[in-house]
Amino acid sequence: MCGLFNSFLDRDGVYTDNEVKAFVAVVCFFYVTLYSIYNNFLKATKQAVMDKILSFFGDMAYGMSDIHYSCINKSELFPNFDFEEIDDCFKGSYEEVNINVSEHKLIRGTGKREKTIFKGIFILFDFNKKFKGKTIVYSNNIINNTFSCVRGKKVDVNLEDVVFSKEWKVKATDQIEARYVLTPMLMEQMLKIKKLFKGNGIEFSFFDNKLFIAIPTYKNLFETTSLFSSTLGYHRVQNVIYQFYCIFSIVKILKLKKDDN
């Protein structure tokens, strides 16, 4: 490649159109090839590192998740969106609780009208209680939250916990069942989750005997690799381990393991 550049530059600026086109084609070919090698390097090293880190927490599979359009749509936390982009994801079992995690971006519209309506993490847990309906916990801190995504008949649920009610509004298919799900202890623990993730926009949805959590963040999480620094750089790995710790700690904070209640 260097020889090609030197040969081309030694011509004193006199080139035919075909020579220029050929030179540009060769440069583009090498650029695409190097970019592909770079991407493959990142994917391979990241897969190895993430698999190793996740193995400390339980039986986990990196690069796999059950969180997709239908699951997000069923949560009724978001208005209609047209596209989803998935970055890092994993699923498995932690403390005997099934868990799915996905770094997601939801987009509405196309072209100049394209708008990102969510960027952050979705977490899906098996819940430790059985219930038939749906209970949705919306953040009071999201601007212009008009509940436009709520479908079907829902009722407002007024709860006695003043601190909780300052942070969230609750809609459900059944008042009694919502209170069965949102016990005083669980509401207290949900406030701890909010504090842990320092997120004003964190929201929850209970459906199909599962708990779905949406945590907005505009940071790019779970990044362990770089072409320009050690793949196992201390600070990168330390940050990812802490991010995993926060996610898995939800299981203990909310006492999702069945024999914890």
Side-chain angles (χ1 to χ4, degrees), residues 4-5 7-28:
L4 176 64
F5 270 106
S7 174
F8 193 75
L9 295 174
D10 285 342
R11 296 281 299 280
D12 296 325
V14 181
Y15 316 105
T16 67
D17 287 345
N18 286 337
E19 286 176 326
V20 171
K21 290 177 181 177
F23 181 78
V24 171
V26 170
V27 171
C28 290

Side-chain angles (χ1 to χ4, degrees), residues 10 23 60 126 162 167 184 201 207 229 245 254:
D10 285 342
F23 181 78
M60 300 286 164
D126 282 348
V162 177
E167 301 295 336
F207 60 91
S229 63
Y245 164 78
L254 297 185

